[in-house]
Amino acid sequence: MEPKHANWIGGSVAAAGAVGGGLALWSALAARSAERMVPPEGSFIEVEGARLHYVDRGSGPVLLLVHGLLGNLRHFTYAIVDELAKDFRVIAVDRPGSGYSVARGNPKPDIVEQATIMVAFADALGLENPLLVGHSLGGAVALAAGLARPDRFAGLALIAPLTQPMDQVPPVFAGLMAPPGVRELLSWTLAVPMGILNGPAAARAVFAPDPVPADFPVRGGGALSLRPATFRAASADLRAAGANMASLAPRYAALTLPVSILYGRGDNILDPALQGEATAAIIPGAHLEQIKGGHMLPLVHPQATIAFLRAAHARSR
């Protein structure tokens, strides 16, 4: 190789390394900034497979709340936890790898394994027959837990849940489908700057047709999605979801728990007909309620969500 070519290649490699290092540093700084804006607001507990961050408010019958993809427990504390805590003991938890919860082991726990962790979490807190509430991908976790341990929960309350395999990933989440190896590289290079650049448009797509609350980045925990760790966790969740849902969906007819499902008719992320109506038709005795709204019902339609959860609890009794 001629010296000038060797110098050119060496310079290119050095430049690429410098750019990559710069992006990694920027991503780390952005993550720290997000965590300063949205610090932990609850307690921590170790269970097998995870160190979980959670909030625990109120007293009475227990509601255990599990959030969705790219989310965290602030999706619930934003508008519904304090109101529900007037009559219930309400526990909202960051799923393993999301928010401030840490997943143990490699690979990251999938939906079925997260369900096992939720059972361990309920056991660790000594919760007696909680109503297990799941939003979006958290609904899939709740269904997996109900199938595995129907004796452990009073019932399932599913808000805009992922219940069936999807033919294609919602376009707003397509960038999360990176395979292992690529996922880690992207998380420290392009994921955070692209998230900052495209974040407002992505939020509008997820909330549509409802508006995005102006204080969602902080009060709703949205800023925590701009972290390398969040990208890696969400990517792992989404890539595992296809196989997980394909194994769970054929078993719904065997569910013995009371199941209630709430969907927004205008949901822009998950199809209410497939994920709501078709699933409710399979589950014995399932109750389906549809309202005007999109995917992020706990934040944008809190009163309707609260009324749904109260009714779901009553049915579970």
Side-chain angles (χ1 to χ4, degrees), residues 70-317:
L70 281 173
N72 56 79
L73 60 79
R74 288 193 181 220
H75 286 194
F76 298 119
T77 61
Y78 181 86
I80 69 173
V81 166
D82 286 343
E83 182 65 27
L84 287 167
K86 295 176 181 178
D87 301 297
F88 298 93
R89 181 183 177 189
V90 187
I91 300 168
V93 59
D94 285 336
R95 288 189 299 105
S98 299
Y100 284 99
S101 288
V102 178
R104 306 296 192 197
N106 188 23
K108 178 186 177 293
D110 65 11
I111 288 170
V112 173
E113 291 162 338
Q114 289 180 48
T116 300
I117 290 171
M118 289 302 112
V119 172
F121 176 62
D123 290 344
L125 292 185
L127 306 182
E128 295 185 9
N129 296 321
L131 178 69
L132 184 57
V133 180
H135 175 228
S136 193
L137 188 134
V141 174
L143 282 164
L147 285 165
R149 289 291 306 276
D151 60 309
R152 193 62 189 81
F153 302 100
L156 307 180
L158 312 176
I159 305 167
L162 172 66
T163 65
Q164 300 286 340
M166 295 183 294
D167 291 335
Q168 61 181 15
V169 172
V172 69
F173 296 139
L176 293 171
M177 290 300 289
V182 176
R183 169 190 306 152
E184 287 71 22
L185 177 63
L186 288 177
S187 74
W188 284 110
T189 53
L190 298 179
V192 174
M194 292 303 294
I196 293 172
L197 180 65
N198 298 327
R204 288 193 296 270
V206 172
F207 276 81
D210 297 313
V212 181
D215 56 356
F216 173 66
V218 174
R219 185 177 160 197
L224 291 182
S225 66
L226 300 174
R227 300 180 301 169
T230 303
F231 177 87
R232 293 193 296 273
S235 176
D237 286 338
L238 196 57
R239 283 189 63 89
N244 286 155
M245 302 319 298
S247 68
L248 292 173
R251 301 169 55 199
Y252 293 156
L255 276 166
T256 57
L257 291 169
V259 177
S260 300
I261 301 173
L262 177 67
Y263 247 102
R265 296 188 190 93
D267 196 312
N268 194 45
I269 299 300
L270 296 175
D271 179 9
L274 173 63
Q275 307 287 344
E277 295 171 18
T279 297
I282 298 170
I283 299 173
H287 172 85
L288 173 66
E289 180 179 346
Q290 297 188 66
I291 63 173
K292 181 180 180 181
H295 190 66
M296 301 299 283
L297 300 177
L299 293 99
V300 189
H301 296 278
Q303 293 308 314
T305 303
I306 289 167
F308 163 76
L309 292 176
R310 291 185 186 278
H313 172 261
R315 280 189 291 272
S316 74
R317 298 177 64 186

